[in-house]
Amino acid sequence: MAKQPQPISPLKNFFAGGFGGVCLVFVGHPLDTIKVRLQTQPKPQPGQTPLYSGTFDCFRKTLVGEGVRGLYRGMAAPIIGVTPMYAVCFFGFSLGKRLQQRKPDDVLTYPQLFAAGMLSGVFTTVIMAPGERIKCLLQIQAATGETKYSGSLDCAKQLYREAGIRGVYRGTVLTLMRDVPASGMYFMTYEWLKNILTPKGKSVSDLSVPRILCAGGLAGIFNWVVAIPPDVLKSRFQTAPAGKYPNGFRDVLRELIREEGVASLYKGFTAVMIRAFPANAACFLGFEVAMKFLNWVAPGL
């Protein structure tokens, strides 16, 4: 295994992680919108056809009915959240690695990298949960034909007015169930792929852009293979009317299995997989480029 990089400074992590997150959202949000609409579309009545027959049908109907802006609906909430979220995400991963090192130059095993990634998932949930709640509500709003929220801020205000802070953070447990194991897989896979793709005698920090894109994109795919089932439950729970699922995700899971079968836990799979590679490739490339720039302009920061 190649030598592990030293933990980076929190300030550099903030800017580099935030820039990587912005790259991820901009590239991946259109297919995230498709994913959420597929996951939350109502079950058709007997004799009726589903609102969307699949990923490409949903994409076509969204584009025809709402234009390109429809694909980017609800993007303000994740954009606002990505800078602190990805700062905390990458900082959490670095902290998780450092806590497991006895000496600064210790090389961590892949299970240790997985554990460090899981810590990152715990850190990001505090920021991720309300942003996900707002994003999902705005993404399905246009599909239902109602205009309850005029934007992200209005949505947050209404949620807080209706149910307080608990309304804004609804779905936090499911966000944790999704992000903790998925983040472990995400970072472990990225580090593993970087080591594999590093030519013999070269440093991991000298990887070419295509190799970084490959490692980041594949890490995103591995991340979502783990994350999709709890993500489906989260989307359903966060967009359901208040009181529909009194026992939380257990009620959502029972309803889905009973009415639509186990396959329903992988709704939006195609959209997620199509999105995962380019979005996460953009994220890691943005992060690596930003880190190199910060190390060049402020090496002692």
Side-chain angles (χ1 to χ4, degrees):
M1 187 188 298
K3 187 178 179 180
Q4 296 290 334
Q6 295 299 313
I8 56 178
S9 76
L11 190 57
K12 286 181 181 178
N13 187 52
F14 178 86
F15 289 110
F19 182 71
V22 170
C23 293
L24 180 146
V25 173
F26 186 77
V27 172
H29 193 79
L31 279 160
D32 186 73
T33 298
I34 302 303
K35 178 205 71 174
V36 170
R37 290 187 177 184
L38 287 171
Q39 290 176 344
T40 58
Q41 66 174 320
K43 185 181 178 182
Q45 297 298 320
Q48 291 184 338
T49 57
L51 181 61
Y52 308 115
S53 62
T55 299
F56 297 104
D57 181 55
C58 183
F59 181 87
R60 181 183 60 81
K61 287 179 178 176
T62 301
L63 194 60
V64 171
E66 304 168 54
V68 174
R69 290 185 63 182
L71 295 171
Y72 282 93
R73 199 170 300 279
M75 191 175 74
I79 281 288
I80 291 170
V82 288
T83 298
M85 184 188 74
Y86 274 84
V88 170
C89 180
F90 281 91
F91 173 74
F93 179 56
S94 296
L95 178 62
K97 289 193 294 182
R98 189 166 191 175
L99 288 173
Q100 297 179 87
Q101 289 179 318
R102 295 181 179 179
K103 301 188 300 249
D105 59 348
D106 280 350
V107 177
L108 298 182
T109 64
Y110 291 119
Q112 287 176 314
L113 291 171
F114 186 86
M118 288 198 296
L119 180 63
S120 168
V122 174
F123 278 24
T124 57
T125 295
V126 175
I127 301 169
M128 177 76 85
E132 286 279 302
R133 169 96 154 117
I134 293 166
K135 171 182 71 68
C136 289
L137 287 171
L138 290 174
Q139 285 173 326
I140 68 166
Q141 178 174 256
T144 62
E146 300 177 1
T147 310
K148 183 178 181 181
Y149 311 111
S150 61
S152 298
L153 185 59
D154 180 55
C155 182
K157 287 180 178 178
Q158 289 196 46
L159 290 173
Y160 185 79
R161 189 162 54 244
E162 292 168 3
I165 196 68
R166 291 185 65 180
V168 178
Y169 273 88
R170 186 181 185 190
T172 298
V173 172
L174 280 164
T175 305
L176 273 170
M177 289 173 60
R178 182 193 68 177
D179 288 349
V180 170
S183 293
M185 180 64 73
Y186 188 50
F187 282 107
M188 181 191 72
T189 305
Y190 181 63
E191 295 291 333
W192 171 60
L193 289 169
K194 282 203 302 180
N195 287 324
I196 287 177
L197 294 171
T198 300
K200 189 175 181 179
K202 298 286 186 178
S203 170
V204 173
S205 61
D206 296 326
L207 274 182
S208 64
V209 169
R211 290 173 188 244
I212 292 172
L213 289 172
C214 181
L218 289 173
I221 288 175
F222 278 91
N223 169 81
W224 277 105
V225 167
V226 174
I228 287 178
D231 186 64
V232 172
L233 298 177
K234 180 195 71 66
S235 295
R236 283 291 183 100
F237 183 71
Q238 287 186 319
T239 58
K244 182 176 180 181
Y245 301 116
N247 296 313
F249 74 90
R250 290 172 294 177
D251 286 348
V252 186
L253 180 61
R254 278 195 291 263
E255 181 185 83
L256 277 172
I257 299 298
R258 183 179 64 250
E259 297 184 358
E260 303 178 47
V262 176
S264 63
L265 293 173
Y266 282 88
K267 275 192 172 184
F269 181 84
T270 303
V272 168
M273 289 299 109
I274 293 173
R275 170 187 179 269
F277 191 96
N280 289 283
C283 174
F284 277 110
L285 179 62
F287 176 80
E288 298 286 0
V289 169
M291 280 302 302
K292 285 187 177 181
F293 176 75
L294 289 171
N295 287 331
W296 177 63
V297 298
L301 190 63

